[in-house]
C-alpha cells in the first residue's frame, strides 16, 4: 500500500528498489501485524540482516521500514541502533588510466559515450541523447533513460540542475556528427564493456 501510494511520484527505479525491500524482510517480520511491531522487533530484524549484508544495505532497509511506519503509525518513533558505515576507499583514475581506456575503445561504439562520461554525464543521460540535442558544440541534456519493463526515455530530470546545456570539445562534437549517432545500444553494455577494459588493462 505504501508503494502504491507513492507510485505516481517515484521513478520506476525507486519503485523496483522499494518492492525488492519487501523481499529482504524475514518471513516473521512480514507476517507481524502492523500494530504489533516493536522497537525490539525492528532492532532484531536489522541485526539479523546485517550479519551477511553491507551496512549501507541494512540502513536502506531500515529507512524503508521507518518510512512505512511513519505513514501508518506516525506516533511510533524508531530509535534503532544501525550498523556503522564502512569508509569506502575510492580509486581516482589517473590521466594515464583514462587515456588507456579511450585508446582501447577507439573506433568502437563505446568511445563517444565514454568521452561523454568523462564530461560528467550519467549513463541514463548519455543513452537518451539524440543528434538533435547537439547544436555546434552545445549539448542539451533534458531527459534520461530508465528501466520500466524495458528501457524508456523519461523527459524532465529529477532536478532543475540536471536539465542543462553543456559545451563539449569541438573534436567530440565532430565525432558525434561523423558517427551520425551518440549511442543506441543497451545501457548495461556500457558498464560491462568498461569493466572488461579495466580488467584487460589492470585498472581498478
Amino acid at each position: 500500500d505504501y508503494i502504491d501510494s507513492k507510485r505516481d511520484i517515484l521513478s520506476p527505479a525507486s519503485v523496483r528498489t522499494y518492492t525488492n525491500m519487501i523481499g529482504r524482510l524475514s518471513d516473521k517480520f512480514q507476517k507481524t501485524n502492523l500494530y504489533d511491531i516493536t522497537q525490539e522487533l525492528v532492532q532484531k530484524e536489522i541485526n539479523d540482516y546485517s550479519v551477511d549484508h553491507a551496512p549501507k544495505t541494512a540502513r536502506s532497509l531500515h529507512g524503508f521500514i521507518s518510512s512505512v511506519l511513519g505513514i501508518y503509525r506516525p506516533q511510533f518513533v524508531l530509535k534503532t541502533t544501525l550498523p556503522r558505515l564502512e569508509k569506502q576507499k575510492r580509486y581516482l583514475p589517473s590521466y594515464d588510466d583514462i587515456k588507456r581506456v579511450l585508446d582501447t575503445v577507439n573506433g568502437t561504439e563505446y568511445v563517444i559515450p565514454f568521452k561523454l562520461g568523462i564530461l560528467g554525464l550519467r549513463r541514463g543521460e548519455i543513452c537518451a541523447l539524440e543528434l538533435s540535442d547537439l547544436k555546434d558544440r552545445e549539448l542539451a541534456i533534458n531527459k534520461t533513460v530508465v528501466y520500466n519493463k524495458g528501457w524508456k526515455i523519461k523527459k524532465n530530470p529529477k532536478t532543475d540542475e540536471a536539465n542543462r546545456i553543456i559545451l563539449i570539445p569541438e573534436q567530440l562534437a565532430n565525432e558525434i556528427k561523423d558517427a551520425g549517432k551518440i549511442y543506441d545500444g543497451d545501457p548495461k553494455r556500457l558498464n560491462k564493456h568498461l569493466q572488461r577494459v579495466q580488467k584487460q588493462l589492470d585498472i581498478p
Side-chain angles (χ1 to χ4, degrees):
D1 287 346
Y2 172 80
I3 294 171
D4 285 342
S5 72
K6 304 282 185 179
R7 197 175 294 274
D8 291 339
I9 59 173
L10 292 174
S11 69
S14 296
V15 171
R16 280 199 312 277
T17 299
Y18 284 173
T19 304
N20 290 337
M21 289 284 183
I22 298 172
R24 294 177 184 176
L25 297 167
S26 67
D27 289 341
K28 179 181 178 181
F29 194 90
Q30 288 189 45
K31 292 175 182 176
T32 302
N33 184 286
L34 178 69
Y35 293 96
D36 291 334
I37 293 176
T38 63
Q39 174 65 73
E40 290 75 18
L41 189 64
V42 173
Q43 185 69 66
K44 186 178 185 308
E45 186 73 11
I46 297 302
N47 289 352
D48 292 347
Y49 188 80
S50 298
V51 170
D52 51 6
H53 292 88
K56 184 178 179 181
T57 312
R59 282 171 168 261
S60 295
L61 182 62
H62 182 268
F64 177 66
I65 295 170
S66 178
S67 296
V68 174
L69 290 173
I71 294 293
Y72 299 104
R73 285 183 61 188
Q75 304 304 320
F76 180 35
V77 179
L78 288 174
K79 296 182 179 179
T80 315
T81 301
L82 300 174
R84 294 180 64 178
L85 287 173
E86 300 164 348
K87 193 170 183 179
Q88 292 185 337
K89 293 182 179 178
R90 296 191 179 276
Y91 177 77
L92 185 65
S94 66
Y95 175 84
D96 183 59
D97 290 337
I98 296 170
K99 185 176 185 304
R100 288 166 64 210
V101 168
L102 291 180
D103 287 345
T104 302
V105 299
N106 191 34
T108 72
E109 64 177 326
Y110 301 105
V111 68
I112 290 173
F114 281 14
K115 286 182 177 180
L116 290 170
I118 292 168
L119 297 178
L121 274 72
R122 302 178 182 92
R123 183 184 72 173
E125 293 172 336
I126 293 169
C127 294
L129 286 171
E130 301 167 343
L131 277 180
S132 58
D133 295 318
L134 179 64
K135 305 291 184 196
D136 296 323
R137 289 178 52 210
E138 291 187 346
L139 189 60
I141 299 137
N142 50 31
K143 52 193 176 294
T144 188
V145 165
V146 297
Y147 191 85
N148 184 17
K149 297 177 182 178
W151 294 103
K152 297 176 182 176
I153 289 182
K154 178 185 176 185
K155 295 187 177 180
N156 302 319
K158 287 184 179 179
T159 63
D160 291 337
E161 291 79 11
N163 199 341
R164 62 204 188 277
I165 293 177
I166 66 169
L167 276 178
I168 65 173
E170 185 175 358
Q171 181 181 347
L172 178 55
N174 290 334
E175 285 180 38
I176 292 172
K177 292 168 187 173
D178 291 343
K181 64 177 183 178
I182 293 172
Y183 180 72
D184 55 9
D186 188 305
K188 288 183 179 178
R189 281 170 46 200
L190 293 176
N191 299 73
K192 290 180 179 178
H193 194 71
L194 178 59
Q195 289 166 1
R196 282 196 293 268
V197 172
Q198 286 176 253
K199 188 174 181 179
Q200 175 187 335
L201 300 176
D202 196 27
I203 295 173

